[in-house]
Each structure stands twice: as structure tokens, then as C-alpha cells.
């Protein structure tokens, strides 16, 4: 049933013969590794694991959070209330423009102007002006405020008791210095983004001072800039007046020199500043151009006449008399041609018509000749006019050459006069502008929003202090948890066992109070009994051939629950019908006989030392009240347990017992510090390592496992004992166990609530919640101390 396919092939050696190494290592040759590879890396951040730590240290976190809340309230009480008031000031750029042409630096419309204004608002000179305007150096409550952070503030808030120093103790200069320093320390000026506005904020313990100082800083800045502008304008006006006087004298002198030279040189200037010769030359040029054009037009007409086309000229065609003659001549020619078809040319009537035609033709030709002669005369006149104008122009050009020689000095003198007059006019205009600007006193800034007296303090804010304090204490609690976890080198969950030791987790045994252990083991429906049945099932599938025929149960250190595990596993395997022998291999501090309620007069040690009589051999293997369970107690405690366990006889006994029983469970001593367990592990087919929660150190467990494997043990897996199963650990951490399933059929919700009444009766509820809490705190503190002591 336990060994479905395996045939046990260990043959018992002869009496007195040593066992071969094959017998020692038989179980380990066919065993495959279990669990996770020790080199396996973590999978990164695990929120579920973080939540588990929160649940695990919930009491510490809750206490630190409560301490943070208390600290936040205390810090708030120790702080002095402060008020703030804000004034918004618009900076007008350019803010110091006096005049345009004279070089004066003006502010540009860029960020530098606003930064300059910001620094001026925070200057000591402006703060001194504010102190003087408000008389702050004479106000004790402003000069000597309550400390911003002090224990005395708690009493002040409770009883309103305070004592300020007297202002008579300091000189006026000292009081002024203190007031200026307070104004500068509590004043902030910021530029509102993407605007030309400056936000002026002042903080003080008195709401009235907060608003008054903020408003006065803005107003003093405006007044200071106005004063500076006015002073600049006065200096500029004096400078310009001096320049006007000088330029005026130069203008008068230059004009006198110009007039005197024009008179001596005979230079006449027209109203448009041109000489008379130049004006005449312009007129002659204009007339010459017209005469030339007229002569050219008349010449074209004469050319037409010379070519015999005088009758087609415009004046001829436009003459009404010639037009009548032409029409009458055309009519007579028409009549002559009509009559020529009837009458001969010699006819008197025909000859008369010819005479009329000739006469009219003569008269017409004479009219054309008169017109052409007048056109020829006009052409001649145009030629004469053009020649006359050219002669006069040549004469004027000769006069212009002489005038230009004289005009060089005249131009120089006139240019000087024009320059002096331009400067004089410009200075007079700027002098008038400076006078107007000094009277107007243009402001370079304007108050947009006046600060009002605040009604509620901005600091301290209880919500912010509480949030900061809670966050700080949460960080401290996280650091404490981190340090605890660093110091905690024990196993707290099954995952750590698999990771650190590389062993398969075959079973998890819940923690039960020592006073309730017997009752929980006896109760087959308890969580502890169910967990042992789960361990039994895991052992059945621990190898390819089922459960090992001989199983060694050991642990790294004492009191980890190995004897109870061997005791309970024997019962559970026997419940399946297997013949089970439980051997107490702890020849130093045996415990199995107490669990079964038997005496320990004879046992394994007597068998190994041949001190048992033959008639008592049958009674050395004792049946128990549990069916199919036989016990071989440790017997008399020998002086040399390791020598007895390493003897060939011990190996022979284990081999023979494995043939007689379906399962042999050996309860071995702890591994660390002793050689008994490694010796016995070589003889057993499999070794189960019991690891207690929050008790054995990881280094100790690793050392123990290393010793077992060095001895050739086949470690089939591990069982984690004393695991504190509760709702939070199960649901939010590893989900290895379901407490409700372990307690099926019972009316009590917790193992810790069961007590033994001696008859397997359901347990009654235990003590109150307060006692349970005290016990948990005590257990946590003691566990931490033990881990600190065992830290390498």
C-alpha cells in the first residue's frame, strides 16, 4: 500500500559484518531533487508580498501612525499662527522715458524689466521707506513677535500668556534695523507667469501688519520711482536750458556772417532759397524747349509743302473758303462730264463751263499758296526765336559759372545757419516736453489689487502637518520593518524555506499552544491533525516508488517538533492499514515514550549494546493503543550514543526492521552540534527535515542540510512547524493553508481556542481578546530578541 512498485532489495549482512556503502546510500541513489532551485531568482516587485508585510506588522504600523498623528498635533500646537496678504502690482514699461533724441537708457519690455522691479521691491532702501511710512520701529508687537516654533506656544495657545521685550531696551537705530530685517525676511515677490504683474506677499503673526506692509511696499515702490523720474527730469531741464543758450548764440552769429557775405558778393536769393541767375536759367531752358518743339513742328509742315502736298495740309483743309471753292469746282466738273456725252467740247456751252472751271481752279490754287506762304513764315519765325533763346541761355550759363564760384562759401555759411537753427528748434521742443513731464509725474507702476486683511491664518495647517508627520512616521516604521527583516534570519513562511534550502515543502504544521497540543493531536478534526494528514499524503508521493520504507525525522535544533511529527505520522500511516514502527533514535534526550505514555527501561540502546535478555527481545517492540503502531523506545541513555548509532549493528537493525514493517519512522536528535542525525540519515531511505517558524536561523538550517547531504542523506523534503495560520496570512500572503478547511466539522474558529478535556470533546472558547493581544505582543518581542541574539 505504501510501496506500490518498489521491491526492497536491501539484504541483511551477516552478524558482525559491516554494511557496505551500497546499503548506506541505497535510498539516495534513486531520489530526484525537490523544490525550487536555490539559484532561482526573485521575480521582482511583489505587491502581495508587500501587503503581507503590512499585515504582519500591522500593530507596529498602527502605533507609528498614531504616533505620527500625535506628533502632527503637537507640532501644530508648537507653531505660531501666521497670516499672509498679497498685493498685485502692474509694472508699466517703458517706465522712465524722458525724451527721444538725447541718449537716455529706458527699460525694455522684456523679462529684465520685471526682474529689476522685483529686486527693487526686495531692496533694503525700499524696506527702510516702508518702516518709516508705517512707523514699524515703534511697535513692540512687530519688532518682537512670538517664536515661530517653540514649546511655549502650547502654553500660549492654552492660556494666552506672553511677554514681549520692551522697546526702550534698544536704540532707535537698532529698532529700525530689526524692523527692516523683519520686513525683508517675511516679504516675497513673484512674477505672475505670462503677465506684467508682480505678486507682493507679506507674512506676519498679525493680520493687520500682513495687509498694511504688503500695500505699503507697493505704494512705496511707486513713490520711489516717481521721485526718481522727477529728479531725472529736473536735471535734464537744466541741461537743455544751458544747451539752448549756447546754440542760440551760435545761430545769431552764423546768420550775421551769411547776410554780410551775400551783400558783399551781390548774391540775390529768391524766396525758395534759389539765386536769381539759377531761376532765369530754368526759365530760359523751359522757353527753349518750347521754341525747339515749335520749330520742329513748323519744319514738318514746310517739308510737306516742298513735296507738293500743300493741298492736303490741315490749314488748307480746314479753310471754309477753299472748301466752298473745291465743292463748286467739283460740281462744274460733274456737269461738264455729263454734257460731254451729248455735246462736243467746242460747243459754246461746253467752252463756257471749261472757262468757269479754270477760273475756279486758279482762285483755289492762289488760296492754297497763301496758306502755305504763311506756314513758311511761321517756320522762319520759330527758327529765329530758337536761335535767340540759345544765345541768351549761353550768356546766362556764363553768369552761372561766375555765380557758382561765389556760392561755395555762401552754401557753407548757409549750411551752418541751418544746422544751428535745427538744434535750436529741437532743444526748445524738448525743453517744453521735459517741463510737462515733470509736472505730470508719470507713474511707472500701478496697483491692480489691494491686499485685504486676512481673516484666517495660512499657517500652521493641521491637515498638512498631520500628513507630513504620518508620512514621516510611516517612513520610520518602514525603516524599522526593514531593519527587523534584516535582523530576522529565521524562516517566517514556506517560500523562504524553498528558496533558501532548495527543499520541497511537503507540509505546513500550524502553531498550537503547548497546553493544547495533546488535545489538538487527539482531535482528528483539528487543524493540526489535518495538516499532518496532508504531510502524510505528500510523503506518499515524495518518490517515484512511493513513500520511503524507512523515514528519518530530524531538525536543525531542539524543540522544533520533530518528535511530535514522528508520533503523528506513525498514527496517520497506520490509519491507512500500514504496519508502522516508530523508533526513538534520540539516545540523548528521548521523548517518544512520553508521547505514548510508556516507560523507557529498555529499548534501542539496550539492543545495540546486547544488554537485553533473549526472553525480553519480544517485549522491546511495544504495541500501542493506536492500531498498527509499534514503538521502539530509546532505552537506557548510553555514554556514547554516536558510537552505537554508527555501529554495523544499527545498520543491520534498520535493514531488518524495514523488511518486517511497512514503514519505519526514526525520531533522530537535532543535527547542529551532534553527529547522530547524519549517521542515522545514511541508514534511512529518506529524511524529513522539520523546520520551525521564527525559531531556527537560516544559517543553522543551511548548515544542518549541508551536513545531511555530506553524509549521503536522501532529504525528501521539509515540513514547516509552528506556522501561525490566521486569516490575514492566508488570504493576503502565501495561500499555503486554509484554516477553515483544517477545522472542518468543528464549532470553534481557531486552534488557539481549543483545550484538552481528556475525552476528545470540542474545545471551548479561550480567553478574551485583550489576553490574546498581550500574548501576541509578548511572543513578537521575545522572537525579535532571540533573532537578534542569533544574528551572525
Amino acid at each position: 500500500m505504501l510501496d506500490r512498485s518498489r521491491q526492497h532489495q536491501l539484504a541483511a549482512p551477516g552478524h558482525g559484518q559491516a554494511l557496505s556503502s551500497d546499503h548506506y546510500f541505497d535510498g539516495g541513489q534513486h531520489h530526484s531533487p525537490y523544490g525550487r532551485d536555490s539559484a532561482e531568482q526573485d521575480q521582482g516587485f511583489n505587491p502581495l508580498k508587500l501587503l503581507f508585510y503590512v499585515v504582519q506588522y500591522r500593530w507596529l504600523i498602527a502605533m507609528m501612525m498614531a504616533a505620527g498623528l500625535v506628533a502632527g498635533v503637537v507640532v501644530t500646537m508648537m507653531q505660531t499662527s501666521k497670516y499672509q496678504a498679497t498685493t498685485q502690482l502692474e509694472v508699466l514699461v517703458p517706465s522712465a522715458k524722458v525724451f527721444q533724441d538725447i541718449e537716455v537708457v529706458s527699460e525694455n519690455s522684456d523679462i529684465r524689466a520685471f526682474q529689476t522691479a522685483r529686486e527693487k521691491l526686495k531692496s533694503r532702501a525700499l524696506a527702510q521707506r516702508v518702516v518709516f511710512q508705517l512707523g514699524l520701529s515703534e511697535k513692540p508687537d512687530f519688532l518682537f513677535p512670538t517664536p515661530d516654533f517653540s514649546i511655549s506656544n502650547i502654553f500660549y495657545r492654552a492660556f494666552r500668556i506672553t511677554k514681549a521685550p520692551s522697546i526702550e531696551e534698544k536704540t532707535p537705530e537698532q529698532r529700525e534695523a530689526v524692523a527692516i530685517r523683519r520686513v525683508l525676511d517675511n516679504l516675497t515677490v513673484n512674477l505672475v507667469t505670462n503677465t506684467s504683474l508682480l505678486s507682493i506677499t507679506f507674512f506676519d503673526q498679525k493680520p493687520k501688519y500682513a495687509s498694511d506692509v504688503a500695500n505699503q511696499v507697493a505704494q512705496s515702490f511707486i513713490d520711489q520711482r516717481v521721485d526718481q523720474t522727477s529728479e531725472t527730469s529736473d536735471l535734464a531741464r537744466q541741461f537743455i536750458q544751458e544747451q539752448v543758450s549756447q546754440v542760440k548764440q551760435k545761430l545769431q552769429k552764423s546768420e550775421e556772417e551769411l547776410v554780410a557775405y551775400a551783400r558783399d558778393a551781390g548774391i540775390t536769393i529768391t524766396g525758395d532759397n534759389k539765386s536769381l541767375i539759377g531761376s532765369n536759367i530754368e526759365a530760359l531752358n523751359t522757353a527753349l524747349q518750347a521754341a525747339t518743339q515749335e520749330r520742329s513742328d513748323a519744319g514738318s509742315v514746310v517739308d510737306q509743302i516742298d513735296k507738293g502736298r500743300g493741298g492736303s495740309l490741315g490749314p488748307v483743309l480746314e479753310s471754309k473758303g477753299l472748301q466752298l471753292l473745291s465743292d463748286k469746282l467739283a460740281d462744274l466738273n460733274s456737269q461738264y462730264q455729263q454734257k460731254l456725252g451729248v455735246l462736243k467740247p467746242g460747243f459754246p456751252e461746253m467752252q463756257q463751263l471749261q472757262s468757269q472751271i479754270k477760273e475756279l481752279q486758279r482762285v483755289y490754287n492762289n488760296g492754297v499758296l497763301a496758306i502755305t506762304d504763311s506756314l513758311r513764315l511761321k517756320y522762319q519765325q520759330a527758327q529765329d526765336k530758337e536761335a535767340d533763346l540759345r544765345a541768351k541761355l549761353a550768356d546766362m550759363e556764363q553768369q552761372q559759372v561766375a555765380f557758382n564760384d561765389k556760392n561755395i562759401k555762401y552754401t557753407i555759411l548757409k549750411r551752418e545757419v541751418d544746422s544751428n537753427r535745427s538744434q535750436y528748434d529741437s532743444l526748445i521742443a524738448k525743453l517744453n516736453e521735459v517741463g510737462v513731464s515733470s509736472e505730470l509725474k508719470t507713474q511707472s507702476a500701478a496697483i491692480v489689487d489691494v491686499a485685504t486683511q486676512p481673516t484666517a491664518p495660512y499657517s500652521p495647517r493641521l491637515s498638512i502637518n498631520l500628513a507630513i508627520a504620518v508620512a514621516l512616521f510611516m517612513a520610520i516604521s518602514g525603516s524599522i520593518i526593514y531593519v527587523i527583516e534584516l535582523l530576522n534570519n529565521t524562516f517566517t513562511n514556506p517560500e523562504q524555506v524553498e528558496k533558501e534550502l532548495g527543499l520541497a515543502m511537503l507540509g505546513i504544521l500550524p502553531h498550537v499552544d503547548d497546553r493544547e497540543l495533546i488535545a489538538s493531536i487527539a482531535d482528528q478534526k483539528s487543524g493540526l491533525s489535518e495538516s499532518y494528514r496532508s504531510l502524510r499524503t505528500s510523503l506518499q508521493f515524495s518518490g517515484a516508488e512511493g513513500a520511503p520504507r524507512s523515514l528519518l525525522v530530524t531538525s536543525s535544533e531542539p524543540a522544533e517538533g520533530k518528535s511530535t511529527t514522528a508520533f503523528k505520522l506513525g498514527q496517520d500511516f497506520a490509519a491507512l492499514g500500514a504496519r508502522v514502527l516508530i523508533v526513538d533514535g534520540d539516545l540523548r534526550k528521548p521523548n517518544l515514550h512520553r508521547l505514548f505514555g510508556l516507560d523507557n527501561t529498555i529499548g534501542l540502546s539496550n539492543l545495540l549494546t546486547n544488554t537485553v535478555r533473549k526472553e525480553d527481545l519480544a517485549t522491546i517492540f511495544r504495541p500501542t493503543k493506536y492500531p498498527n503502531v509499534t514503538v521502539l523506545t530509546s532505552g537506557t541513555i548510553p555514554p556514547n550514543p554516536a558510537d552505537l548509532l554508527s555501529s554495523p549493528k544499527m545498520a543491520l537493525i534498520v535493514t531488518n526492521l524495514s523488511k518486517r514493517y511497512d514503514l519505519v519512522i526514526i525520531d533522530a536528535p537535532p543535527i547542529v552540534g551532534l553527529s547522530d542525525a547524519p549517521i542515522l540519515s545514511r541508514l534511512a531511505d529518506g529524511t524529513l527535515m522539520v523546520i520551525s517558524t521564527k525559531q531556527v536561523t537560516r544559517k543553522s538550517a543551511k548548515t544542518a542540510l549541508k551536513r545531511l547531504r555530506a553524509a549521503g542523506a536522501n532529504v525528501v523534503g521539509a515540513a514547516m512547524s509552528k506556522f501561525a495560520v490566521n486569516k490575514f496570512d492566508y488570504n493576503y500572503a502565501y495561500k499555503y493553508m486554509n484554516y477553515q478547511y483544517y477545522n472542518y466539522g468543528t464549532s470553534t474558529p481557531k486552534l488557539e481556542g481549543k483545550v484538552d478535556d481528556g475525552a476528545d470533546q470540542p474545545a471551548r472558547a479561550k480567553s478574551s481578546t485583550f489576553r490574546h493581544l498581550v500574548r501576541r505582543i509578548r511572543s513578537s518581542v521575545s522572537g525579535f530578541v532571540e533573532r537578534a541574539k542569533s544574528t551572525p
Side-chain angles (χ1 to χ4, degrees), residues 581-623:
L581 172 64
I582 304 177
V583 179
D584 193 346
D586 191 350
L587 303 183
R588 302 175 187 272
K589 293 181 179 180
N591 191 40
L592 272 180
H593 63 281
R594 297 189 183 92
L595 295 177
F596 284 99
L598 303 174
D599 62 85
N600 194 26
T601 55
I602 57 175
L604 178 61
S605 61
N606 303 97
L607 191 61
L608 292 173
T609 56
N610 294 322
T611 58
V612 61
R613 295 177 299 180
K614 292 184 179 180
E615 57 270 18
D616 295 332
L617 286 175
T619 60
I620 199 170
F621 296 95
R622 305 181 187 182

Side-chain angles (χ1 to χ4, degrees), residues 124 151 201 252 254 287 330 338 613 646 697 700 704 724:
R124 180 179 178 82
I151 299 177
T201 304
Q252 290 177 353
S254 61
Q338 289 178 358
R613 295 177 299 180
S646 60
T697 63
S700 178

